[in-house]
């Protein structure tokens, strides 16, 4: 990932100016230097821009799994399967009545500030996942090898962790990017790709992630009331 002064992963937006919007981002100057979190614009007044985040410094050429969740007024931020910090925000997220944009702050197909890097396996929930569920998502499809020893006989058992069952409860959208930007949750929140190109995922599988080049690339998801969260709990997770 190319982390500049502002790196916007995704958010709900209805324009490149000071219209109401929110975004998940890394900033090296907004609110406090080197933080990751939520940038929130509640009105057209620039003075209403707010930031809820935690200190975080990226490493070059390193792959991260991020989870952001709201539970009541508490915002929690996870890197991989570990809580790295929390913040409080008592106001509602703005009801933008607008598209969700992956890879930009501002308009999804022109204007705004764009993300430079690879993104994959995005999930959006209308509830706050617990720590065990976040760990389950982080370990999805990772191969573990367990060894059982009986006398002098070694028995090897390889298990793949697969996310299933209640982990899909409250799922609003799921983007595995299996050759396209379709929503695999069954809720029909399919994305339109603007300039982003398919690339290999973290397991080396071709065509299973998207690369965005920080100029005008984005993935735009049409407006849907299901992700107008207001003051409700929610969770967003992704690899980048």
């Amino acid at each position: 990932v190319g982390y500049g002064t502002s790196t916007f992963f995704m958010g709900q937006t209805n324009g490149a100016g000071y219209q109401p919007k929110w975004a998940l981002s890394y900033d090296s100057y907004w609110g406090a230097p080197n933080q990751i979190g939520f940038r929130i614009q509640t009105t057209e007044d620039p003075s209403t821009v707010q930031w809820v985040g935690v200190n975080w410094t990226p490493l070059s050429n390193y792959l991260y799994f991020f989870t952001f969740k709201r539970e009541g007024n508490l915002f929690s931020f996870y890197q991989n399967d570990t809580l790295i910090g929390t913040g409080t925000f008592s106001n509602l997220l703005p009801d933008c009545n607008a598209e969700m944009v992956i890879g930009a702050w501002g308009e999804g197909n022109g204007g705004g500030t764009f993300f430079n890097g690879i993104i994959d396996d995005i999930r959006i929930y209308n509830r706050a996942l617990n720590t065990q569920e976040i760990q389950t998502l982080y370990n999805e499809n990772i191969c573990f090898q367990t060894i059982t020893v009986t006398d002098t006989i070694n028995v090897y058992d390889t298990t793949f962790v697969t996310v299933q069952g209640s982990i899909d409860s409250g799922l609003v959208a799921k983007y595995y990017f299996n050759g396209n930007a379709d929503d695999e949750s069954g809720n029909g929140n399919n994305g339109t790709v603007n300039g982003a190109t398919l690339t290999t995922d973290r397991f080396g599988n071709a065509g299973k992630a998207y690369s965005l080049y920080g100029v005008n690339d984005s993935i735009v998801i049409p407006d849907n009331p299901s992700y107008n969260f207001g003051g409700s709990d929610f969770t967003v997770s992704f690899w980048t």
Side-chain angles (χ1 to χ4, degrees), residues 211-224:
S211 177
L212 299 93
Y213 293 101
V215 179
N216 58 5
D217 296 350
S218 65
I219 300 171
V220 180
I221 305 161
D223 178 35
N224 190 314

Side-chain angles (χ1 to χ4, degrees), residues 102-130:
I102 298 168
W105 167 262
E107 298 170 1
N109 54 4
T113 305
F114 295 88
F115 169 71
N116 180 17
I118 294 171
I119 197 163
D120 191 20
D121 285 3
I122 299 173
R123 289 171 177 255
I124 304 172
Y125 292 85
N126 62 10
R127 65 182 181 92
L129 299 187
N130 61 41

